[in-house]
Amino acid sequence: MASIETVHMCPSGHVLKLMSFKNPYTCGWCKVQGYGPRYECESCNYNLHDSCLLTSATASHPFFPNDTILVFLKDPPEDRGRRRCDICAQEICGFNYHDFGDEDGWDLHPCCLHLKPEFEAEGIKFQLQKAVKSNCMWCNKGTLKESAPGVRGCSYVSKCKKYHFHVRCVMENVLDVLKRQEASETEHVRLQLHTGRNKKRHSKYISKIMLVILKTVASILIGDPVAAAASFLSELVLN
């Protein structure tokens, strides 16, 4: 028996089609900017992340305790402007995941829920962690400058404790590169590694680690964990 393909509609009742463009868009559900593949209504210029459209009613993540159940909320938060994602520390303006387990439960963007809890770069193992005291190797700060009280965001930290990157800093660099790729007429876009005062001490080895971290996060933001991320990295040139 042939499988029945699920049809998704925009708020106006038009069929959403899976498209792939390099230009940026704002997801109609979570309100977070995206690039690459998206579900689009050409008539309404309405776009959705596939990570939002294909969400489940509840979710869990290895980063959280085993009893943590995240519920997908289809209503924008009433306290908009005050709630922030506990992973990237950016404002939550649309659909999101929330943990009702305690009074200060977790809030997450759907795309942040898909970030890997751990990965390996150049033989070094990284883990997603909260409340890291060391300085981020991109912004050279321990705390994000726009973080809200009680929401410091999470970081990827090496098990050897030598390397630390804010998830938000990585996301901002990925989006910056994607924007410059879109605007550039050249084949490659030069990657600016913002490593603060310690820039002179960073070797090409550390730069390679940064590229792997960018690829890991880009695979979530772009929506294609293999082809799009590989294309994304192939156009970068180390500074």
Side-chain angles (χ1 to χ4, degrees):
M1 182 176 178
S3 60
I4 300 175
E5 184 177 351
T6 303
V7 176
H8 304 286
M9 303 285 192
C10 77
S12 299
H14 304 135
V15 175
L16 293 171
K17 296 180 180 179
L18 181 59
M19 308 294 286
S20 182
F21 303 109
K22 286 189 175 181
N23 62 303
Y25 66 94
T26 299
C27 177
W29 279 13
C30 71
K31 309 302 180 185
V32 173
Q33 191 174 56
Y35 280 81
R38 82 287 303 266
Y39 282 89
E40 180 188 55
C41 170
E42 294 180 299
S43 301
C44 301
N45 191 27
Y46 185 81
N47 300 276
L48 293 178
H49 291 126
D50 57 354
S51 60
C52 285
L53 189 60
L54 305 179
T55 51
S56 56
T58 60
S60 59
H61 193 282
F63 178 68
F64 305 110
N66 293 333
D67 59 348
T68 302
I69 301 298
L70 299 162
V71 179
F72 186 59
L73 303 178
K74 289 190 175 182
D75 294 313
E78 295 180 0
D79 51 352
R80 180 173 174 174
R82 295 171 53 193
R83 286 179 57 200
R84 290 178 177 266
C85 174
D86 286 286
I87 296 291
C88 70
Q90 297 191 75
E91 183 181 351
I92 288 180
C93 300
F95 295 6
N96 62 97
Y97 278 100
H98 180 72
D99 165 30
F100 289 97
D102 63 60
E103 188 175 349
D104 298 318
W106 290 81
D107 295 297
L108 272 77
H109 294 121
C111 57
C112 290
L113 179 67
H114 293 279
L115 289 173
K116 294 181 179 180
E118 58 183 25
F119 64 91
E120 187 171 313
E122 294 295 311
I124 297 176
K125 293 183 178 180
F126 283 82
Q127 292 181 324
L128 192 62
Q129 295 185 14
K130 187 182 180 183
V132 179
K133 294 182 179 180
S134 60
N135 286 356
C136 168
M137 295 183 71
W138 234 300
C139 70
N140 202 38
K141 297 182 184 298
T143 304
L144 293 164
K145 61 181 180 181
E146 297 179 1
S147 59
V151 181
R152 297 184 59 183
C154 293
S155 302
Y156 278 118
V157 182
S158 63
K159 286 191 175 182
C160 63
K161 306 299 181 183
K162 290 183 179 180
Y163 311 109
H164 163 213
F165 304 93
H166 289 131
V167 168
R168 181 168 176 177
C169 288
V170 178
M171 284 183 164
E172 288 178 346
N173 274 273
V174 168
L175 292 174
D176 177 62
V177 169
L178 289 168
K179 288 177 182 177
R180 286 189 284 126
Q181 282 183 354
E182 182 193 8
S184 176
E185 296 181 358
T186 61
E187 182 180 355
H188 299 289
V189 173
R190 186 167 296 279
L191 175 63
Q192 301 292 336
L193 298 178
H194 302 294
T195 51
R197 299 176 213 166
N198 299 321
K199 185 173 182 179
K200 292 182 179 179
R201 295 192 312 204
H202 293 307
S203 64
K204 288 185 177 181
Y205 174 72
I206 298 179
S207 297
K208 289 180 180 179
I209 293 175
M210 291 178 169
L211 284 177
V212 174
I213 293 175
L214 280 175
K215 177 181 178 180
T216 301
V217 175
S219 67
I220 301 301
L221 297 181
I222 295 173
D224 185 339
V226 181
S231 174
F232 166 83
L233 281 185
S234 69
E235 296 182 14
L236 295 181
V237 179
L238 279 175
N239 193 21

